Amino acid sequence: DTEVTQTPKHLVMGMTNKKSLKCEQHMGHRAMYWYKQKAKKPPELMFVYSYEKLSINESVPSRFSPECPNSSLLNLHLHALQPEDSALYLCASSQLTKDRQAQYFGPGTRLTVT
Amino acid sequence: GQQLNQSPQSMFIQEGEDVSMNCTSSSIFNTWLWYKQDPGEGPVLLIALYKAGELTSNGRLTAQFGITRKDSFLNISASIPSDVGIYFCACNNQGGKLIFGQGTELSVKP
């Protein structure tokens, strides 16, 4: 099973709203990732969790707040977003074995900020 | 910084034709990955390559990890309409991050 699930599939939110994106994997992967992707561009890394600890924050604005409650779950809390934050948000997971770090992506959440 | 040069940027082909795309880099990598992304969906891993010179097939797809560890190609044989999408190459850097190519957008005419 190489499935990563994400909810919701679509989200429309106002600039004053608070919402959360959720991601789940049951492959026993100990690294989980959040990416942001604009149309027809490659994904851009936002955050990396290794063994449930935040290991990389790619200078993401504080209006995005990640959380890793356990080894299978990853959340992204959203607050006071801007219209330019509208994008496809992707979750991914991978093993942490050196040189075997192929990442498996979820289907994404299409976020629209109005 | 490290970057991957992916070509071509786009391809328009007839159904049944073979397709070839490639990625090159000035840096050495230990992993080459190929993903396909359909509109509105997440990238799907097609092939993972872990050894220089490795040639791997997955159905009509064939990919190779270049012997210099600085390049890789992906071939699709006998294309069909569902091959339409954007194909990305990607590599792991030392920090465990994925570096992506800019993508090859494939269109298939029935």
Side-chain angles (χ1 to χ4, degrees):
Chain A
D1 181 11
T2 56
E3 189 178 27
V4 176
T5 59
Q6 289 186 245
T7 56
K9 180 75 172 167
H10 301 277
L11 179 61
V12 179
M13 59 186 291
M15 290 189 283
T16 58
N17 291 158
K18 284 185 182 181
K19 296 286 185 183
S20 296
L21 309 185
K22 297 187 183 302
C23 174
E24 189 167 4
Q25 58 89 14
H26 293 288
M27 294 178 277
H29 290 170
R30 301 309 298 272
M32 295 187 76
Y33 310 78
W34 280 116
Y35 288 85
K36 174 183 177 181
Q37 187 180 30
K38 293 284 196 178
K40 298 192 178 184
K41 297 293 187 185
E44 297 171 23
L45 184 65
M46 299 174 72
F47 302 104
V48 181
Y49 274 82
S50 302
Y51 298 107
E52 295 104 71
K53 288 189 171 22
L54 183 65
S55 57
I56 296 176
N57 176 343
E58 292 285 284
S59 303
V60 179
S62 59
R63 57 186 185 268
F64 295 91
S65 175
E67 178 197 18
C68 190
N70 61 53
S71 60
S72 300
L73 294 174
L74 188 65
N75 298 323
L76 186 62
H77 304 297
L78 314 172
H79 173 54
L81 294 193
Q82 304 296 310
E84 60 264 28
D85 296 323
S86 298
L88 183 67
Y89 287 84
L90 296 164
C91 173
S93 70
S94 75
Q95 296 179 37
L96 278 170
T97 311
K98 188 171 183 282
D99 296 339
R100 285 294 184 271
Q101 294 172 358
Q103 292 183 22
Y104 294 86
F105 287 84
T109 293
R110 170 68 61 191
L111 174 67
T112 303
V113 181
T114 61
Chain B
Q2 295 174 316
Q3 63 178 23
L4 302 181
N5 300 308
Q6 185 171 351
S7 64
Q9 281 188 314
S10 61
M11 302 182 75
F12 296 85
I13 61 167
Q14 199 78 31
E15 183 177 358
E17 289 182 1
D18 296 343
V19 171
S20 185
M21 59 191 78
N22 70 86
C23 280
T24 61
S25 173
S26 57
S27 302
I28 289 173
F29 291 103
N30 293 324
T31 304
W32 280 91
L33 307 169
W34 285 94
Y35 291 91
K36 179 190 180 224
Q37 187 170 24
D38 293 331
E41 298 293 328
V44 174
L45 182 66
L46 299 174
I47 292 179
L49 301 161
Y50 297 111
K51 284 185 185 176
E54 181 180 0
L55 181 71
T56 297
S57 292
N58 178 5
R60 293 179 297 107
L61 308 177
T62 302
Q64 184 157 31
F65 189 150
I67 198 73
T68 64
R69 294 198 284 156
K70 294 183 178 181
D71 63 305
S72 177
F73 70 75
L74 174 71
N75 289 341
I76 306 173
S77 63
S79 58
I80 59 178
S82 61
D83 291 333
V84 165
I86 300 181
Y87 293 79
F88 291 103
C89 62
C91 294
N92 286 114
N93 74 359
Q94 296 290 349
K97 299 182 190 180
L98 272 189
I99 300 170
F100 286 90
Q102 289 303 304
T104 295
E105 186 172 12
L106 179 64
S107 301
V108 179
K109 190 175 179 182

